[in-house]
PDB file of all heavy atoms in Angstrom:
ATOM      1  N   GLN X  24      17.760   9.713   3.804  1.00 89.00           N
ATOM      2  CA  GLN X  24      17.771   8.261   3.615  1.00 89.00           C
ATOM      3  C   GLN X  24      17.434   7.919   2.158  1.00 89.00           C
ATOM      4  O   GLN X  24      18.032   7.033   1.562  1.00 89.00           O
ATOM      5  CB  GLN X  24      16.775   7.610   4.578  1.00 89.00           C
ATOM      6  CG  GLN X  24      16.841   6.121   4.625  1.00 89.00           C
ATOM      7  CD  GLN X  24      18.083   5.596   5.314  1.00 89.00           C
ATOM      8  OE1 GLN X  24      18.924   6.339   5.818  1.00 89.00           O
ATOM      9  NE2 GLN X  24      18.224   4.294   5.328  1.00 89.00           N
ATOM     10  N   TRP X  25      16.476   8.616   1.591  1.00 88.00           N
ATOM     11  CA  TRP X  25      16.079   8.431   0.185  1.00 88.00           C
ATOM     12  C   TRP X  25      17.302   8.536  -0.720  1.00 88.00           C
ATOM     13  O   TRP X  25      17.505   7.728  -1.608  1.00 88.00           O
ATOM     14  CB  TRP X  25      15.048   9.508  -0.151  1.00 88.00           C
ATOM     15  CG  TRP X  25      14.688   9.703  -1.588  1.00 88.00           C
ATOM     16  CD1 TRP X  25      15.506  10.119  -2.598  1.00 88.00           C
ATOM     17  CD2 TRP X  25      13.403   9.527  -2.185  1.00 88.00           C
ATOM     18  NE1 TRP X  25      14.809  10.226  -3.774  1.00 88.00           N
ATOM     19  CE2 TRP X  25      13.519   9.869  -3.552  1.00 88.00           C
ATOM     20  CE3 TRP X  25      12.161   9.140  -1.695  1.00 88.00           C
ATOM     21  CZ2 TRP X  25      12.445   9.818  -4.415  1.00 88.00           C
ATOM     22  CZ3 TRP X  25      11.090   9.095  -2.568  1.00 88.00           C
ATOM     23  CH2 TRP X  25      11.235   9.422  -3.904  1.00 88.00           C
ATOM     24  N   ASP X  26      18.118   9.566  -0.485  1.00 87.00           N
ATOM     25  CA  ASP X  26      19.266   9.835  -1.358  1.00 87.00           C
ATOM     26  C   ASP X  26      20.386   8.809  -1.225  1.00 87.00           C
ATOM     27  O   ASP X  26      21.335   8.834  -1.993  1.00 87.00           O
ATOM     28  CB  ASP X  26      19.798  11.248  -1.108  1.00 87.00           C
ATOM     29  CG  ASP X  26      18.922  12.319  -1.753  1.00 87.00           C
ATOM     30  OD1 ASP X  26      18.145  11.989  -2.678  1.00 87.00           O
ATOM     31  OD2 ASP X  26      19.013  13.480  -1.336  1.00 87.00           O
ATOM     32  N   THR X  27      20.273   7.888  -0.271  1.00 89.00           N
ATOM     33  CA  THR X  27      21.293   6.844  -0.132  1.00 89.00           C
ATOM     34  C   THR X  27      20.929   5.561  -0.891  1.00 89.00           C
ATOM     35  O   THR X  27      21.732   4.641  -0.938  1.00 89.00           O
ATOM     36  CB  THR X  27      21.534   6.466   1.351  1.00 89.00           C
ATOM     37  OG1 THR X  27      20.361   5.827   1.864  1.00 89.00           O
ATOM     38  CG2 THR X  27      21.901   7.683   2.181  1.00 89.00           C
ATOM     39  N   HIS X  28      19.748   5.501  -1.469  1.00 87.00           N
ATOM     40  CA  HIS X  28      19.294   4.297  -2.160  1.00 87.00           C
ATOM     41  C   HIS X  28      19.619   4.370  -3.650  1.00 87.00           C
ATOM     42  O   HIS X  28      18.946   5.075  -4.395  1.00 87.00           O
ATOM     43  CB  HIS X  28      17.784   4.090  -1.960  1.00 87.00           C
ATOM     44  CG  HIS X  28      17.431   3.548  -0.618  1.00 87.00           C
ATOM     45  ND1 HIS X  28      17.330   2.201  -0.372  1.00 87.00           N
ATOM     46  CD2 HIS X  28      17.177   4.166   0.552  1.00 87.00           C
ATOM     47  CE1 HIS X  28      17.019   2.015   0.893  1.00 87.00           C
ATOM     48  NE2 HIS X  28      16.918   3.191   1.479  1.00 87.00           N
ATOM     49  N   PRO X  29      20.624   3.617  -4.118  1.00 86.00           N
ATOM     50  CA  PRO X  29      21.008   3.668  -5.534  1.00 86.00           C
ATOM     51  C   PRO X  29      19.884   3.232  -6.477  1.00 86.00           C
ATOM     52  O   PRO X  29      19.776   3.731  -7.589  1.00 86.00           O
ATOM     53  CB  PRO X  29      22.207   2.735  -5.639  1.00 86.00           C
ATOM     54  CG  PRO X  29      22.297   2.006  -4.354  1.00 86.00           C
ATOM     55  CD  PRO X  29      21.449   2.706  -3.344  1.00 86.00           C
ATOM     56  N   GLU X  30      19.027   2.323  -6.031  1.00 86.00           N
ATOM     57  CA  GLU X  30      17.945   1.859  -6.899  1.00 86.00           C
ATOM     58  C   GLU X  30      16.948   2.989  -7.185  1.00 86.00           C
ATOM     59  O   GLU X  30      16.459   3.129  -8.305  1.00 86.00           O
ATOM     60  CB  GLU X  30      17.218   0.676  -6.261  1.00 86.00           C
ATOM     61  CG  GLU X  30      16.339  -0.051  -7.240  1.00 86.00           C
ATOM     62  CD  GLU X  30      15.916  -1.417  -6.722  1.00 86.00           C
ATOM     63  OE1 GLU X  30      16.140  -1.739  -5.545  1.00 86.00           O
ATOM     64  OE2 GLU X  30      15.345  -2.160  -7.526  1.00 86.00           O
ATOM     65  N   ILE X  31      16.678   3.809  -6.185  1.00 86.00           N
ATOM     66  CA  ILE X  31      15.801   4.965  -6.405  1.00 86.00           C
ATOM     67  C   ILE X  31      16.453   5.916  -7.395  1.00 86.00           C
ATOM     68  O   ILE X  31      15.811   6.398  -8.329  1.00 86.00           O
ATOM     69  CB  ILE X  31      15.482   5.694  -5.084  1.00 86.00           C
ATOM     70  CG1 ILE X  31      14.520   4.858  -4.238  1.00 86.00           C
ATOM     71  CG2 ILE X  31      14.880   7.066  -5.354  1.00 86.00           C
ATOM     72  CD1 ILE X  31      14.163   5.490  -2.908  1.00 86.00           C
ATOM     73  N   GLN X  32      17.737   6.185  -7.188  1.00 83.00           N
ATOM     74  CA  GLN X  32      18.444   7.113  -8.076  1.00 83.00           C
ATOM     75  C   GLN X  32      18.402   6.630  -9.525  1.00 83.00           C
ATOM     76  O   GLN X  32      18.164   7.408 -10.446  1.00 83.00           O
ATOM     77  CB  GLN X  32      19.897   7.295  -7.644  1.00 83.00           C
ATOM     78  CG  GLN X  32      20.113   7.630  -6.182  1.00 83.00           C
ATOM     79  CD  GLN X  32      19.258   8.774  -5.693  1.00 83.00           C
ATOM     80  OE1 GLN X  32      19.250   9.836  -6.289  1.00 83.00           O
ATOM     81  NE2 GLN X  32      18.532   8.561  -4.624  1.00 83.00           N
ATOM     82  N   LYS X  33      18.610   5.335  -9.710  1.00 86.00           N
ATOM     83  CA  LYS X  33      18.619   4.763 -11.059  1.00 86.00           C
ATOM     84  C   LYS X  33      17.224   4.778 -11.682  1.00 86.00           C
ATOM     85  O   LYS X  33      17.025   5.253 -12.799  1.00 86.00           O
ATOM     86  CB  LYS X  33      19.158   3.335 -11.013  1.00 86.00           C
ATOM     87  CG  LYS X  33      19.303   2.673 -12.371  1.00 86.00           C
ATOM     88  CD  LYS X  33      19.786   1.241 -12.232  1.00 86.00           C
ATOM     89  CE  LYS X  33      18.679   0.369 -12.661  1.00 86.00           C
ATOM     90  NZ  LYS X  33      18.298  -0.796 -12.114  1.00 86.00           N
ATOM     91  N   ASP X  34      16.236   4.279 -10.938  1.00 87.00           N
ATOM     92  CA  ASP X  34      14.878   4.149 -11.481  1.00 87.00           C
ATOM     93  C   ASP X  34      14.172   5.492 -11.677  1.00 87.00           C
ATOM     94  O   ASP X  34      13.275   5.594 -12.515  1.00 87.00           O
ATOM     95  CB  ASP X  34      14.022   3.259 -10.582  1.00 87.00           C
ATOM     96  CG  ASP X  34      14.442   1.801 -10.625  1.00 87.00           C
ATOM     97  OD1 ASP X  34      15.293   1.441 -11.461  1.00 87.00           O
ATOM     98  OD2 ASP X  34      13.919   1.021  -9.810  1.00 87.00           O
ATOM     99  N   LEU X  35      14.548   6.492 -10.910  1.00 87.00           N
ATOM    100  CA  LEU X  35      13.870   7.794 -10.988  1.00 87.00           C
ATOM    101  C   LEU X  35      14.743   8.892 -11.583  1.00 87.00           C
ATOM    102  O   LEU X  35      14.471  10.074 -11.400  1.00 87.00           O
ATOM    103  CB  LEU X  35      13.387   8.219  -9.587  1.00 87.00           C
ATOM    104  CG  LEU X  35      12.371   7.303  -8.922  1.00 87.00           C
ATOM    105  CD1 LEU X  35      11.970   7.858  -7.554  1.00 87.00           C
ATOM    106  CD2 LEU X  35      11.140   7.087  -9.792  1.00 87.00           C
ATOM    107  N   LYS X  36      15.771   8.511 -12.342  1.00 88.00           N
ATOM    108  CA  LYS X  36      16.706   9.518 -12.860  1.00 88.00           C
ATOM    109  C   LYS X  36      16.040  10.529 -13.790  1.00 88.00           C
ATOM    110  O   LYS X  36      16.536  11.636 -13.948  1.00 88.00           O
ATOM    111  CB  LYS X  36      17.899   8.849 -13.537  1.00 88.00           C
ATOM    112  CG  LYS X  36      17.567   8.115 -14.796  1.00 88.00           C
ATOM    113  CD  LYS X  36      18.786   7.448 -15.384  1.00 88.00           C
ATOM    114  CE  LYS X  36      18.380   6.618 -16.594  1.00 88.00           C
ATOM    115  NZ  LYS X  36      19.479   5.817 -17.064  1.00 88.00           N
ATOM    116  N   ASN X  37      14.911  10.186 -14.383  1.00 88.00           N
ATOM    117  CA  ASN X  37      14.192  11.119 -15.254  1.00 88.00           C
ATOM    118  C   ASN X  37      12.830  11.497 -14.676  1.00 88.00           C
ATOM    119  O   ASN X  37      11.894  11.787 -15.415  1.00 88.00           O
ATOM    120  CB  ASN X  37      13.990  10.498 -16.642  1.00 88.00           C
ATOM    121  CG  ASN X  37      15.307  10.230 -17.324  1.00 88.00           C
ATOM    122  OD1 ASN X  37      16.183  11.080 -17.348  1.00 88.00           O
ATOM    123  ND2 ASN X  37      15.466   9.033 -17.849  1.00 88.00           N
ATOM    124  N   PHE X  38      12.727  11.487 -13.358  1.00 89.00           N
ATOM    125  CA  PHE X  38      11.435  11.667 -12.693  1.00 89.00           C
ATOM    126  C   PHE X  38      11.500  12.821 -11.704  1.00 89.00           C
ATOM    127  O   PHE X  38      12.422  12.925 -10.917  1.00 89.00           O
ATOM    128  CB  PHE X  38      11.080  10.368 -11.959  1.00 89.00           C
ATOM    129  CG  PHE X  38       9.732  10.363 -11.318  1.00 89.00           C
ATOM    130  CD1 PHE X  38       8.586  10.275 -12.079  1.00 89.00           C
ATOM    131  CD2 PHE X  38       9.620  10.416  -9.944  1.00 89.00           C
ATOM    132  CE1 PHE X  38       7.336  10.243 -11.481  1.00 89.00           C
ATOM    133  CE2 PHE X  38       8.376  10.388  -9.334  1.00 89.00           C
ATOM    134  CZ  PHE X  38       7.238  10.298 -10.113  1.00 89.00           C
ATOM    135  N   TRP X  42       5.686  14.970  -2.995  1.00 91.00           N
ATOM    136  CA  TRP X  42       4.821  14.182  -2.127  1.00 91.00           C
ATOM    137  C   TRP X  42       4.488  14.998  -0.894  1.00 91.00           C
ATOM    138  O   TRP X  42       5.352  15.674  -0.335  1.00 91.00           O
ATOM    139  CB  TRP X  42       5.534  12.917  -1.621  1.00 91.00           C
ATOM    140  CG  TRP X  42       5.717  11.842  -2.614  1.00 91.00           C
ATOM    141  CD1 TRP X  42       4.913  10.750  -2.793  1.00 91.00           C
ATOM    142  CD2 TRP X  42       6.776  11.721  -3.558  1.00 91.00           C
ATOM    143  NE1 TRP X  42       5.416   9.975  -3.800  1.00 91.00           N
ATOM    144  CE2 TRP X  42       6.553  10.544  -4.290  1.00 91.00           C
ATOM    145  CE3 TRP X  42       7.882  12.500  -3.876  1.00 91.00           C
ATOM    146  CZ2 TRP X  42       7.396  10.112  -5.300  1.00 91.00           C
ATOM    147  CZ3 TRP X  42       8.725  12.087  -4.886  1.00 91.00           C
ATOM    148  CH2 TRP X  42       8.481  10.900  -5.576  1.00 91.00           C
ATOM    149  N   CYS X  59      11.308  15.725  -5.207  1.00 91.00           N
ATOM    150  CA  CYS X  59      12.438  15.025  -5.820  1.00 91.00           C
ATOM    151  C   CYS X  59      12.566  15.471  -7.269  1.00 91.00           C
ATOM    152  O   CYS X  59      11.582  15.668  -7.960  1.00 91.00           O
ATOM    153  CB  CYS X  59      12.251  13.520  -5.676  1.00 91.00           C
ATOM    154  SG  CYS X  59      12.030  12.564  -7.141  1.00 91.00           S
ATOM    155  N   ALA X  61      14.926  14.454 -10.646  1.00 90.00           N
ATOM    156  CA  ALA X  61      15.856  13.474 -11.218  1.00 90.00           C
ATOM    157  C   ALA X  61      16.273  12.439 -10.169  1.00 90.00           C
ATOM    158  O   ALA X  61      17.416  12.020 -10.112  1.00 90.00           O
ATOM    159  CB  ALA X  61      17.071  14.162 -11.821  1.00 90.00           C
ATOM    160  N   GLY X  62      15.291  12.045  -9.318  1.00 87.00           N
ATOM    161  CA  GLY X  62      15.537  10.997  -8.339  1.00 87.00           C
ATOM    162  C   GLY X  62      16.175  11.451  -7.045  1.00 87.00           C
ATOM    163  O   GLY X  62      16.281  10.672  -6.112  1.00 87.00           O
ATOM    164  N   LYS X  63      16.609  12.699  -6.949  1.00 91.00           N
ATOM    165  CA  LYS X  63      17.255  13.227  -5.735  1.00 91.00           C
ATOM    166  C   LYS X  63      16.294  14.146  -5.002  1.00 91.00           C
ATOM    167  O   LYS X  63      15.583  14.939  -5.627  1.00 91.00           O
ATOM    168  CB  LYS X  63      18.501  14.038  -6.092  1.00 91.00           C
ATOM    169  CG  LYS X  63      19.636  13.220  -6.628  1.00 91.00           C
ATOM    170  CD  LYS X  63      20.412  12.664  -5.497  1.00 91.00           C
ATOM    171  CE  LYS X  63      21.741  12.121  -5.976  1.00 91.00           C
ATOM    172  NZ  LYS X  63      22.437  11.457  -4.927  1.00 91.00           N
ATOM    173  N   VAL X  64      16.271  14.056  -3.683  1.00 93.00           N
ATOM    174  CA  VAL X  64      15.434  14.951  -2.894  1.00 93.00           C
ATOM    175  C   VAL X  64      16.084  16.329  -2.872  1.00 93.00           C
ATOM    176  O   VAL X  64      17.243  16.461  -2.473  1.00 93.00           O
ATOM    177  CB  VAL X  64      15.228  14.416  -1.462  1.00 93.00           C
ATOM    178  CG1 VAL X  64      14.534  15.444  -0.590  1.00 93.00           C
ATOM    179  CG2 VAL X  64      14.430  13.122  -1.501  1.00 93.00           C
ATOM    180  N   THR X 119       8.638  -0.197  -7.860  1.00 82.00           N
ATOM    181  CA  THR X 119       9.826  -0.574  -7.079  1.00 82.00           C
ATOM    182  C   THR X 119      10.347   0.603  -6.260  1.00 82.00           C
ATOM    183  O   THR X 119      10.483   0.480  -5.039  1.00 82.00           O
ATOM    184  CB  THR X 119      10.927  -1.154  -7.989  1.00 82.00           C
ATOM    185  OG1 THR X 119      10.412  -2.345  -8.599  1.00 82.00           O
ATOM    186  CG2 THR X 119      12.184  -1.473  -7.203  1.00 82.00           C
ATOM    187  N   PRO X 120      10.623   1.766  -6.865  1.00 82.00           N
ATOM    188  CA  PRO X 120      11.066   2.872  -6.021  1.00 82.00           C
ATOM    189  C   PRO X 120       9.975   3.365  -5.072  1.00 82.00           C
ATOM    190  O   PRO X 120      10.283   3.824  -3.968  1.00 82.00           O
ATOM    191  CB  PRO X 120      11.478   3.962  -7.016  1.00 82.00           C
ATOM    192  CG  PRO X 120      10.950   3.560  -8.333  1.00 82.00           C
ATOM    193  CD  PRO X 120      10.716   2.089  -8.288  1.00 82.00           C
ATOM    194  N   PHE X 121       8.703   3.228  -5.462  1.00 80.00           N
ATOM    195  CA  PHE X 121       7.614   3.625  -4.571  1.00 80.00           C
ATOM    196  C   PHE X 121       7.618   2.755  -3.317  1.00 80.00           C
ATOM    197  O   PHE X 121       7.466   3.252  -2.197  1.00 80.00           O
ATOM    198  CB  PHE X 121       6.274   3.523  -5.302  1.00 80.00           C
ATOM    199  CG  PHE X 121       5.115   4.065  -4.522  1.00 80.00           C
ATOM    200  CD1 PHE X 121       4.944   5.435  -4.354  1.00 80.00           C
ATOM    201  CD2 PHE X 121       4.190   3.220  -3.952  1.00 80.00           C
ATOM    202  CE1 PHE X 121       3.883   5.946  -3.637  1.00 80.00           C
ATOM    203  CE2 PHE X 121       3.123   3.717  -3.230  1.00 80.00           C
ATOM    204  CZ  PHE X 121       2.964   5.081  -3.078  1.00 80.00           C
ATOM    205  N   ASN X 122       7.820   1.444  -3.482  1.00 79.00           N
ATOM    206  CA  ASN X 122       7.897   0.547  -2.322  1.00 79.00           C
ATOM    207  C   ASN X 122       9.109   0.880  -1.452  1.00 79.00           C
ATOM    208  O   ASN X 122       9.017   0.853  -0.220  1.00 79.00           O
ATOM    209  CB  ASN X 122       7.960  -0.913  -2.771  1.00 79.00           C
ATOM    210  CG  ASN X 122       6.613  -1.452  -3.168  1.00 79.00           C
ATOM    211  OD1 ASN X 122       5.583  -1.024  -2.667  1.00 79.00           O
ATOM    212  ND2 ASN X 122       6.606  -2.391  -4.099  1.00 79.00           N
ATOM    213  N   ILE X 123      10.246   1.173  -2.085  1.00 83.00           N
ATOM    214  CA  ILE X 123      11.426   1.576  -1.311  1.00 83.00           C
ATOM    215  C   ILE X 123      11.105   2.843  -0.529  1.00 83.00           C
ATOM    216  O   ILE X 123      11.433   2.962   0.654  1.00 83.00           O
ATOM    217  CB  ILE X 123      12.651   1.786  -2.226  1.00 83.00           C
ATOM    218  CG1 ILE X 123      13.070   0.456  -2.859  1.00 83.00           C
ATOM    219  CG2 ILE X 123      13.810   2.406  -1.447  1.00 83.00           C
ATOM    220  CD1 ILE X 123      14.092   0.593  -3.978  1.00 83.00           C
ATOM    221  N   HIS X 124      10.451   3.774  -1.180  1.00 82.00           N
ATOM    222  CA  HIS X 124      10.044   5.023  -0.543  1.00 82.00           C
ATOM    223  C   HIS X 124       9.186   4.754   0.693  1.00 82.00           C
ATOM    224  O   HIS X 124       9.427   5.302   1.769  1.00 82.00           O
ATOM    225  CB  HIS X 124       9.282   5.856  -1.578  1.00 82.00           C
ATOM    226  CG  HIS X 124       8.524   7.008  -1.045  1.00 82.00           C
ATOM    227  ND1 HIS X 124       7.262   7.283  -1.460  1.00 82.00           N
ATOM    228  CD2 HIS X 124       8.826   7.965  -0.144  1.00 82.00           C
ATOM    229  CE1 HIS X 124       6.819   8.359  -0.839  1.00 82.00           C
ATOM    230  NE2 HIS X 124       7.740   8.778  -0.038  1.00 82.00           N
ATOM    231  N   LEU X 125       8.189   3.872   0.572  1.00 79.00           N
ATOM    232  CA  LEU X 125       7.344   3.548   1.717  1.00 79.00           C
ATOM    233  C   LEU X 125       8.152   2.875   2.825  1.00 79.00           C
ATOM    234  O   LEU X 125       7.930   3.137   4.011  1.00 79.00           O
ATOM    235  CB  LEU X 125       6.174   2.660   1.284  1.00 79.00           C
ATOM    236  CG  LEU X 125       5.123   3.358   0.418  1.00 79.00           C
ATOM    237  CD1 LEU X 125       4.110   2.342  -0.104  1.00 79.00           C
ATOM    238  CD2 LEU X 125       4.426   4.475   1.169  1.00 79.00           C
ATOM    239  N   ILE X 127      11.328   3.419   3.432  1.00 83.00           N
ATOM    240  CA  ILE X 127      12.148   4.468   4.043  1.00 83.00           C
ATOM    241  C   ILE X 127      11.354   5.203   5.115  1.00 83.00           C
ATOM    242  O   ILE X 127      11.888   5.518   6.189  1.00 83.00           O
ATOM    243  CB  ILE X 127      12.670   5.453   2.978  1.00 83.00           C
ATOM    244  CG1 ILE X 127      13.727   4.777   2.106  1.00 83.00           C
ATOM    245  CG2 ILE X 127      13.241   6.716   3.623  1.00 83.00           C
ATOM    246  CD1 ILE X 127      14.112   5.588   0.877  1.00 83.00           C
TER     247      ILE X 127
END
Side-chain angles (χ1 to χ4, degrees):
Q24 189 71 2
W25 168 296
D26 283 340
T27 67
H28 283 269
E30 194 165 10
I31 288 179
Q32 309 310 308
K33 184 182 112 219
D34 290 352
L35 298 181
K36 67 182 175 188
N37 297 313
F38 185 73
W42 287 263
C59 115
K63 291 276 194 186
V64 172
T119 298
F121 187 73
N122 281 331
I123 294 169
H124 166 224
L125 290 173
I127 289 170

